[in-house]
Amino acid sequence: MIIVKIGGNILDNPARLQAFLIDFAQLAGPKLLVHGGGKIASATGQRLGITPKMVEGRRITDAETLELVTMVYGGLVNKQVVAKLQALGCNAIGLTGADANIIPARKRPVKTIDYGFAGDVDGPESINAKALEALLEAGLTPVFAPLTHDTQGSMLNTNADTIASVLATALATAFTVQLVYCFEKKGVLQNAGDDNAVIPHINQDKYKALKEEGVVNAGMVPKLDNAFAALQQGVAQVLICEAESLPRIHTGHYSGTTLSLN
């Protein structure tokens, strides 16, 4: 099966989102979509008088912000994506981690920074994979918002890349899983200023070297950390590419970065 994660750069662009969803709906076999929506949450919050609080690119989720992201991620963005997929003949079902207890998580402990109601997932063993498999076997396509729950009644804001990774590893025992991170670039770039300088393949050793050289930095580090964690726990393949490459993935003729352990 294929698990695809899309970010705000696609969600923010109606034409690009529609093109992506057409391609996603046409993918054969069981599939699952994980979406972000941070920019939409920030813009909606500004209209409501809620100023986003960010530290090192991560959102501080206080009680007011938790209400905002639950509304925007779990409601506005998730249901719009589900409705568009239904219009394309893809029988999607919108979910958060609280639904069917699929993704329980823990409120992130305070260290140097208090991230508020941010959720950390223990790992694939905590995922209710059986409930997810039942939905897939029923012919449904799960669409996950980046929200989990603490099992005590509170929602938690959780990184969408992490959600995609743990769902992929949890399903890897039942399926041969291909995990695809779609974002605004064609892949991992050797030179951030050159959109065509795609590194076609990265293994663990090369990843370590690229981090030391500073080629891979900032937001790309947690994305690749999640990707390698998925590979280490049974996911067959991880790809990082632009959304427009999705229809060509099965052919192998696409621009993107393939990640492997060796």
Side-chain angles (χ1 to χ4, degrees), residues 6 9 24 56 73 107 129 150 156 241:
I6 58 167
N9 57 294
F24 179 80
E56 297 173 353
Y73 298 161
K107 187 172 180 284
D150 67 357
L156 296 170
C241 60

Side-chain angles (χ1 to χ4, degrees), residues 18 28 47 111 118 120 214 226 242:
Q18 184 65 18
R47 292 202 299 273
K111 294 179 182 176
D120 291 328
N226 280 311
E242 62 181 350

